[in-house]
């Protein structure tokens, strides 16, 4: 481990950071319900003497540090949990049945509070403004978009933004990211196939939506395999199929749901268009009708500014060493940090939390997802270092 000054400062408050993280972990709250989480963030900011605006985007908090005399850099954390029932063996397991911090947003919030504390101690050195964005509803609720639309990047105007995500594929003590597109554009799809139900013994008197739904699922697979440029990645995953109640009854309707992903909005929209056309045509070919919607929020791709990544990468190397900072390939995961980087240059960095001895080996969104908490002070240090370095560069 390094003797980098920000890492040393973060290690000195490690217990405090870990306590905050565990408190958040025990009481997970899902999108736009982050009431207690938001309260804990504000209480902590109050204790630190840091000013903030609240509410933005229902439960969001926007804190500000510095003398305002210079550039403005933002650091961001998401606060929401997932509707997953926790199955880990940690002592600070979720106390809310069916809800869990299975994507590590408890760690993100705790790391940003750690950064808040260190930046407050160094506030005299801040020539400009550091904004701390604590946002709700990353998981499907586009909380980042709402924070942005409610002015989180204005007054003063943010010139650079930085965010971290825990990464169970990377060992603890390491970082990774890349310039350009890092995470995918992603959206949901819902299809209802309408047929005509009846007795399963007399299929000729019905219009069977089950067979048609099965055909739609397989036909949609040709979008990626036969229509997309093989060098332009895409995903169509149908993940739920619901229809019918009894083994001897052909149902009236079948519902399909899934996700569509690509590395650009253009390809995502092209794929949505083809999902619409293929679904309608397959249904029509078999006397069914299909209704198709793309509910919720389509997330744009998360695009890292090359200069921001170069700064973050250099700082990450200083905090660890050359062998512990990787250029990662893009992934098809989605992330609403993308809404900020649509507007200002930024960088989203993966922080390693994997530790096989601790059983921290499961992917995010898994009920046994765990992190090695030794990552937290490193993340705090990178937040602080990115803010200070960027302010100096932008002056
Ligand atoms: Ni996440």
């Amino acid at each position: 481990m390094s003797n980098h000054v920000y890492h040393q400062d973060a290690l000195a408050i490690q217990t405090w950071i870990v306590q905050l993280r565990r408190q958040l972990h025990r009481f997970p709250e899902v999108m736009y319900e982050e009431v207690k989480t938001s309260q804990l963030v504000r209480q902590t900011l109050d204790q630190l003497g840091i000013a903030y605006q609240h509410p933005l985007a229902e439960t969001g908090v926007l804190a500000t540090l510095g003398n305002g005399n210079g550039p403005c850099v933002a650091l961001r954390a998401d606060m929401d949990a997932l509707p997953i029932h926790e199955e880990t063996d940690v002592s600070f397991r979720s106390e809310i049945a069916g809800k869990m911090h299975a994507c590590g947003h408890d760690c993100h919030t705790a790391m940003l509070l750690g950064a808040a504390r260190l930046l407050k101690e160094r506030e005299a050195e801040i020539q400009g403004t550091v904004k701390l964005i604590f946002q709700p509803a990353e998981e499907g609720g586009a909380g980042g978009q709402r924070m942005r639309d409610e002015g989180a990047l204005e007054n003063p105007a943010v010139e650079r933004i930085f965010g971290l995500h825990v990464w169970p594929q990377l060992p603890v003590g390491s970082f990774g990211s890349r310039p350009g597109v890092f995470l995918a554009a992603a959206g949901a799809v819902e299809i209802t196939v309408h047929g005509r139900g009846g007795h399963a013994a007399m299929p000729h008197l019905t219009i069977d939506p089950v067979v048609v739904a099965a055909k739609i699922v397989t036909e949609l697979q040709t979008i990626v395999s036969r229509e997309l440029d093989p060098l332009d990645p895409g995903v169509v995953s149908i993940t739920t199929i619901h229809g019918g109640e009894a083994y001897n009854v052909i149902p009236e309707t079948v519902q399909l749901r899934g996700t569509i992903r690509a590395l650009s909005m253009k390809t995502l929209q092209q794929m949505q268009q083809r999902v619409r056309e293929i679904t309608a045509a397959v249904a029509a070919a078999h006397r069914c009708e299909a209704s198709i919607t793309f509910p919720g929020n389509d997330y744009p791709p998360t695009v890292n500014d090359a200069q921001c990544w170069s700064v973050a990468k250099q700082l990450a190397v200083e905090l660890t060493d050359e062998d512990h900072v990787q250029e990662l390939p893009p992934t098809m995961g989605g992330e609403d940090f993308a809404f900020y980087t649509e507007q200002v240059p930024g960088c989203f960095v993966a922080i390693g939390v994997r530790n096989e001895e601790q059983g921290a080996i499961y992917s995010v969104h898994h009920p046994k997802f765990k992190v090695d908490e030794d990552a937290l002070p490193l993340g705090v240090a990178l937040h602080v270092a990115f803010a200070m370095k960027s302010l100096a560069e932008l002056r």
Side-chain angles (χ1 to χ4, degrees), residues 126-150:
I126 300 176
Q127 297 296 313
T129 306
V130 180
K131 283 188 183 176
L132 310 176
I133 300 175
F134 296 90
Q135 72 153 79
E138 191 287 318
E139 299 287 354
Q145 185 177 33
R146 283 194 59 184
M147 291 295 283
R148 183 191 75 179
D149 293 350
E150 293 184 26

Side-chain angles (χ1 to χ4, degrees), residues 103 105 138-139 165:
C103 201
H105 300 184
E138 191 287 318
E139 299 287 354
H165 205 295

Side-chain angles (χ1 to χ4, degrees), residues 44-52 63-65 116-117 120 132:
T44 309
L45 293 170
D46 284 337
Q47 284 160 10
L48 296 172
I50 298 172
Y52 55 82
T64 311
L65 286 136
R117 180 163 165 181
K120 186 66 189 173
L132 310 176

Side-chain angles (χ1 to χ4, degrees), residues 17-41 59 77-90 92-111 113 134-139 164-168 353 360 362-373 376:
I17 300 163
V18 167
Q19 270 170 3
L20 280 169
R21 185 260 159 161
R22 292 185 177 186
Q23 173 78 6
L24 292 164
H25 194 87
R26 294 216 314 271
F27 301 101
E29 296 172 303
V30 298
M31 63 159 96
Y32 295 119
E33 292 173 5
E34 306 90 344
V35 174
K36 289 205 172 116
T37 307
S38 173
Q39 249 166 28
L40 181 65
V41 166
T59 57
D78 41 13
M79 304 188 291
D80 56 318
L82 284 157
I84 292 175
H85 192 79
E86 180 158 359
E87 290 175 20
T88 72
D89 54 3
V90 298
F92 50 92
R93 205 162 36 252
S94 169
E95 292 180 22
I96 314 288
K99 293 180 189 171
M100 176 189 179
H101 269 294
C103 201
H105 300 184
D106 52 339
C107 298
H108 304 165
T109 301
M111 287 190 288
L113 288 169
F134 296 90
Q135 72 153 79
E138 191 287 318
E139 299 287 354
L164 282 172
H165 205 295
V166 295
W167 217 258
V353 291
Y362 297 95
S363 73
V364 292
H365 295 212
H366 191 285
K368 291 188 174 158
F369 170 70
K370 259 203 238 185
V371 310
D372 182 337
E373 291 173 327
L376 301 180

Side-chain angles (χ1 to χ4, degrees), residues 161-177:
I161 186 161
F162 177 79
L164 282 172
H165 205 295
V166 295
W167 217 258
Q169 293 83 7
L170 286 179
V172 67
S174 58
F175 292 100
S177 190

Side-chain angles (χ1 to χ4, degrees), residues 333-351:
E335 164 62 55
D336 84 349
F337 189 76
F339 289 108
Y340 305 109
T341 57
E342 270 191 330
Q343 193 167 319
V344 299
C347 186
F348 196 61
V349 172
I351 176 168

Side-chain angles (χ1 to χ4, degrees), residues 108-246:
H108 304 165
T109 301
M111 287 190 288
L112 193 53
L113 288 169
R117 180 163 165 181
L118 297 191
L119 286 165
K120 186 66 189 173
E121 287 168 7
R122 293 174 176 273
E123 196 167 21
E125 296 169 35
I126 300 176
Q127 297 296 313
T129 306
V130 180
K131 283 188 183 176
L132 310 176
I133 300 175
F134 296 90
Q135 72 153 79
E138 191 287 318
E139 299 287 354
Q145 185 177 33
R146 283 194 59 184
M147 291 295 283
R148 183 191 75 179
D149 293 350
E150 293 184 26
L153 301 180
E154 310 298 333
N155 297 320
V158 170
E159 291 164 68
R160 258 187 205 175
I161 186 161
F162 177 79
L164 282 172
H165 205 295
V166 295
W167 217 258
Q169 293 83 7
L170 286 179
V172 67
S174 58
F175 292 100
S177 190
R178 62 179 287 104
V181 179
F182 181 31
L183 296 163
V189 58
E190 263 180 42
I191 296 167
T192 304
V193 183
H194 303 267
R196 190 167 70 225
H199 200 302
M202 288 160 267
H204 60 295
L205 301 180
T206 74
I207 300 174
D208 184 356
V210 174
V211 173
V212 177
K215 287 190 188 222
I216 290 169
V217 173
T218 48
E219 285 302 319
L220 292 180
Q221 301 315 307
T222 61
I223 297 174
V224 173
S225 67
R226 302 290 78 192
E227 296 189 22
L228 283 192
D229 179 339
L231 300 178
D232 185 15
V235 172
V236 179
S237 291
I238 298 300
T239 50
T240 77
I241 305 181
H242 289 119
E245 301 285 343

Side-chain angles (χ1 to χ4, degrees), residues 308-341:
C308 289
W309 166 232
S310 138
V311 168
K313 186 180 178 182
Q314 180 56 38
L315 296 168
V317 168
E318 286 170 22
L319 282 168
T320 59
D321 58 50
E322 297 273 358
D323 295 336
H324 289 86
V325 182
Q326 296 181 38
E327 294 245 334
L328 298 172
T331 90
M332 300 310 280
E335 164 62 55
D336 84 349
F337 189 76
F339 289 108
Y340 305 109
T341 57

